[in-house]
Amino acid sequence: TSLTPKTALLYKFNRSPSESLKEINNMIKQGGQR
Amino acid sequence: KEVVERLRYLEAEIEDLELKEKELDQQKLWLQQSIKNVKEDSTNKHFSYITHEDICDCFNGDTLLAIQAPAGTQLEVPLPHVGQKKYQINLKSNSGPIHVLLINKE
Amino acid sequence: AQECQNLEVEKQQRIERIKQKRSQLQELLLQQIAFKNLVQRNQHKEIWGPPSVNSTIQLPFLVINTSKRTVIDCSISSDKFEYLFNFDNAFEIHDDTDLLKRMGMSLGLETGKCSSEDLRTAKSLVPKALENYVTDMYTKHDLFLESSQTHSALDMA
């Protein structure tokens, strides 16, 4: 069964790794393309 | 005979790699603690700032927002709709106010 | 022979994990070097007096950058616990560690533009027992640089 598509990416101040921000930036750069 | 020798050699190699991995785990914990101590040192805390000029020089010409928020504050970016130029950021704190600063050279 | 094969697989997996853990450790070292370098720079600059009021931002923080043509619409809750930003253009989000690297506070170790002088400075900013990881970063890029130079020399030849 395919997972429900992610509707948002999260980052927690002082908790999440920098990688999470890179993931968000990539998502924005791709403009939401899959 | 060769296979048995290979087996012995591989077992010894894996033992070495296991030790190396444990050492790296130990060093990581130690370094994380060291960074925490350095950042919490009162003198270092006083001098741990970046000027607006520094930031503007890193992103020449862009509009810049600086966000200071309590640890644990959640930043959520919804998946943008394909083809629509609409982007969103939600900030949600449970433990204190969030400060946002608009920094612009002009 | 089957057991040999299993051990080969396990060995490769361990080697992969060790590579990852080394680069995580080196990332932490870059953080420590950049932070200490920033503190030293600010201490040095403050010999001529503190920075003007409202011209600095205390770590930690995030920076959002977007084109200056972007229209940003912002809603704020009265207690400032919640913000909603709408942008009509793409943006990027960076943490202060990334910013310090852009400012050169990590002495170019991660980009291979580290001089031997800066290598000495960098090693003085980390615990002695971990200095070899800093040297590894330097030589890794150095070797890479050397090999790419030899490659180009060979191509020329």
Side-chain angles (χ1 to χ4, degrees), chain C residues 73-116:
Chain C
D73 168 62
C74 174
S75 320
I76 310 174
S77 65
S78 53
D79 59 4
K80 288 194 167 184
F81 275 46
E82 214 165 326
Y83 283 68
L84 172 63
F85 294 100
N86 283 300
F87 297 75
D88 70 351
N89 212 333
F91 57 77
E92 285 181 345
I93 310 178
H94 303 274
D95 61 14
D96 43 64
T97 303
D98 182 40
L99 216 64
L100 291 180
K101 286 179 188 170
R102 287 166 180 257
M103 290 164 60
M105 288 293 141
S106 51
L107 302 168
L109 273 166
E110 78 284 2
T111 56
K113 298 189 181 86
C114 180
S115 66
S116 46

